[in-house]
Amino acid sequence: MFLIVQNDPLCPAGGLLHLLKESGSPYRCLAAYAGEPLPDPASCTGIVVLGGEMGVHDTADHPHLALVIDFIRAALTTRTPLLGICLGGQLLSHAAGGVVSSPSPHREMGICRVDVIAEGSSDPLFAGIPNPFVTFQLHSDSFTVPPGGTLLASSGACPAQAFRLPGCVYGVQFHPEVDRAIVDAWDGLFSPRADYLSGFIAAETEFNAASRAILANFISLATGARLS
């Protein structure tokens, strides 16, 4: 079973759910923000930790984050395949000894291009991905690659876009899971209302091709790791 850990009600799994259904992989969405208990990570085929408006260090206001950090550390111990997206990637970096800056000078909003560096070009997470690839960003914080990790992707605005830890464990700063409905909802978080949706729609074909491939690659890698 794939476990999707949702940290924020406005940050759902989006297109990831369609890919899991297409692959025939059983999955469960867990609302960590609502206090749903986290399982033993060893029982999971793979784990995806989603984003959120809050930051890694906001545990006083969002106490579920401390539980998610402990859960990620347990997943690293059990070597359970894991993908952290945006806040999820920041939580992974923090749990593994990296540094999360809040706020960060590496802020990005809307459609961006990300470069896959040499180490990423040979990594199966980015197999079949254009270089650079089009993705969507919405972050004011950023992570460093934690000790023992390998940088896989970067951008001019944000030097650490993706990293790998030993085993099938990845953190990414960008959002491969979003769709029109999610971006539209996020536009409404700003006052006055933002308009990242129009840029997303204009780049949607390129975005979907790269994002679906990245997520499908992780599903395949996690499934293979658990079967080996």
Side-chain angles (χ1 to χ4, degrees), residues 45-188:
T45 302
I47 298 164
V48 179
V49 183
L50 298 172
E53 190 177 6
M54 66 288 292
V56 166
H57 308 296
D58 295 337
T59 51
D61 292 331
H62 303 281
H64 75 277
L65 293 179
L67 301 177
V68 174
I69 291 167
D70 288 343
F71 175 72
I72 290 172
R73 287 179 176 144
L76 293 174
T77 299
T78 59
R79 299 183 68 82
T80 303
L82 187 146
L83 172 64
I85 294 174
C86 197
L87 171 63
Q90 295 162 9
L91 291 166
L92 172 60
S93 172
H94 176 75
V99 176
V100 177
S101 299
S102 177
S104 167
H106 306 304
R107 179 176 181 268
E108 293 172 297
M109 302 285 169
I111 287 292
C112 301
R113 291 187 180 272
V114 169
D115 297 305
V116 181
I117 66 171
E119 290 81 359
S121 295
S122 60
D123 192 281
L125 185 70
F126 290 106
I129 308 300
N131 191 15
F133 64 92
V134 169
T135 191
F136 186 83
Q137 307 270 9
L138 201 70
H139 66 96
S140 296
D141 300 353
S142 64
F143 54 65
T144 65
V145 177
T150 302
L151 181 67
L152 302 177
S154 183
S155 73
C158 185
Q161 287 283 354
F163 65 86
R164 180 188 68 240
L165 287 169
C168 184
V169 177
Y170 296 93
V172 301
Q173 186 57 74
F174 50 89
H175 283 280
E177 83 288 4
V178 299
D179 54 26
R180 290 190 186 190
I182 294 172
V183 176
D184 183 55
W186 289 355
D187 277 351

Side-chain angles (χ1 to χ4, degrees), residues 5-6 10 12 24 78-79 99 124-125 148 150 194 197 199 206 212 220:
V5 179
Q6 189 172 348
L10 291 178
T78 59
R79 299 183 68 82
V99 176
L125 185 70
T150 302
L197 181 59
E206 288 181 274
R212 286 176 60 87
S220 177

